[in-house]
Amino acid sequence: MNVIERIDDLRQTVTQARCSGQSIGFVPTMGGLHAGHLRLVAQARRECDLVVVSVFVNPLQFGPTEDFASYPRPFERDASLAQEAGCDVLFHPSVEEMYGQAGQSGAGTGVLTSVAVAQLSEPMCGAYRPGFFAGVATVVAKLFAICDADRAYFGMKDYQQLLVVRQMAHDLSFRTEVVGVPTQRAHNGLALSSRNEYLSVDDREREAEIIYVALMGGAQTIVDGERHAKALRAKIDDVLVGVERFDVEYLEIRDAETLAELDLLSGPVLIALAVWVGSGSQRARLIDNIVLHIDDDTGRVDVEAGEIVEEYPA
Ligand code: AMP
């Protein structure tokens, strides 16, 4: 595996691969790799000739009070996990390499351009994390421009991000196809996340699993025939209410393609939530979701809830 820190070097490597007829698969990450990330790498490995993984903690997508400084950066471990999973090129640029000298302009970086994806960026996480999706869309556009991949792999765990990035790639005519990969979950259903490390073992094992219980309960309610979003919300709220060390930031039931709010459930439906779990320094904001496809003619409901893959701790 080749570790590259410079934009020009990555460009040269992918150009050479492309000239020799290879297809390129790209997996952008912020590091702190776990089985969720590795599932994306494994799929890229199966589908593409050259697999590029980036590890870059992107300052543009963190708010001033968020965890940019403390975000996990176990680079040696990430490098060996990426290699084992089949990565050919690990792109690990510095903030200066990506955005110029700190303090030059903008919020502590040298970047003046921002990519904004209207509508899809506005509700849910966008409402609680101003600037987050612009930070994501900007860094992904830049990475797509550098990497020029055939396919890029994104997790369904960050479902709104997947829709924002897919729309951005379409609107800006990137050649890169954005592929969504199912959410990877620990044995208790907790979606794997680099931020789970902030939690105490107890909260990770017992409190956080309520998220999955609530989502699966919601899915079952729909499978059982409920078609009113208000009634579904009440059922899910019942599970979430009263859990200790647990603050629900949002619970949303929306069209899974447009993110429009729904009163009546039909077609592709997204149930998504963000919760704060834990207390003090062992507190983390976790997001999760489930997607259902309701066939209005037959009443059939398909549930996309992800895959249980790993015992905790890893
Ligand atoms: P991050 O490092 O958190 O920015 O995540 C990098 C990529 O990995 C994003 O496309 C995420 O959606 C994806 N990802 C993170 N956690 C999971 C998970 N548990 N299952 C599937 N994909 C994930």
Side-chain angles (χ1 to χ4, degrees), residues 28-30 34 36-37 40 154-155 157-158 161 182-184 192:
T29 82
M30 297 206 300
H34 50 65
H37 299 109
L40 311 190
F154 288 82
K157 183 187 82 80
D158 303 283
Q161 168 173 286
T183 302
Q184 306 296 292
L192 300 179

Side-chain angles (χ1 to χ4, degrees), residues 210-221:
I210 308 292
I211 299 169
Y212 186 62
V213 171
L215 288 172
M216 291 306 275
Q220 189 58 47
T221 304

Side-chain angles (χ1 to χ4, degrees), residues 176-199:
T176 309
E177 179 197 346
V178 173
V179 180
V181 177
T183 302
Q184 306 296 292
R185 300 180 177 282
H187 70 100
N188 62 351
L190 174 63
L192 300 179
S193 164
S194 311
R195 288 191 169 102
N196 292 350
E197 286 191 21
Y198 297 156
L199 298 175

